[in-house]
Amino acid sequence: MNRDRIVINGLTFYGYHGVQPEERVLGQRFTADVEIGIDLSDAGATDDLNKTVNYVEVQRIVGDRIEGPARNLIEAVAEEISQSLLAETPADWVLVRLSKPSAPIKGNATGSFAVEIRRQRQG
């Protein structure tokens, strides 16, 4: 398996995902970190954007899913992001980490809540 990868951190968008009613009404920020496995040797040798994954396209795909239809679970949003990246880019595999920095829970949670999924192109 190729070990080359593109790493994009801190893509932040506003969405309405969650099981709590206030999450569906007020919404909140979501942050995505994405890793994309792809052989980068041709891109490095030729300096050709067509031999890699365009970061602008990754940002669009992630934003469209986070800003898209509300889901109960961030797991579902992360799955949609990963499947879209595999379908719309030449990625061999993707890793998506989706964080909810301000989940509305009681208590002293100062960090974020996140899921991380890794999916690979089939076939």
Side-chain angles (χ1 to χ4, degrees):
M1 174 175 34
N2 187 331
R3 299 200 186 275
D4 296 348
R5 62 186 172 168
I6 294 169
V7 179
I8 302 171
N9 290 318
L11 296 173
T12 302
F13 298 93
Y14 205 83
Y16 294 85
H17 312 290
V19 295
Q20 301 301 321
E22 59 270 21
E23 294 177 291
R24 295 296 186 105
V25 174
L26 299 175
Q28 61 192 299
R29 287 180 306 111
F30 293 85
T31 301
D33 300 326
V34 177
E35 294 185 22
I36 297 169
I38 182 172
D39 185 344
L40 298 173
S41 57
D42 284 346
T46 64
D47 196 28
D48 183 352
L49 179 60
N50 295 312
K51 305 284 184 181
T52 187
V53 174
N54 187 329
Y55 308 158
V56 173
E57 278 301 298
V58 174
Q59 182 178 11
R60 179 194 59 79
I61 291 166
V62 172
D64 285 352
R65 299 316 168 277
I66 292 175
E67 294 175 341
R71 303 288 182 227
N72 288 326
L73 303 176
I74 60 174
E75 291 87 340
V77 181
E79 185 67 34
E80 289 176 2
I81 292 169
S82 68
Q83 294 304 320
S84 296
L85 288 168
L86 289 170
E88 298 179 41
T89 74
D92 296 323
W93 58 265
V94 297
L95 182 143
V96 175
R97 183 179 306 108
L98 186 59
S99 300
K100 206 185 237 195
S102 304
I105 65 163
K106 293 179 181 179
N108 294 328
T110 57
S112 64
F113 295 85
V115 297
E116 181 177 285
I117 63 171
R118 187 177 195 280
R119 299 293 181 262
Q120 189 166 318
R121 184 175 303 283
Q122 299 299 313

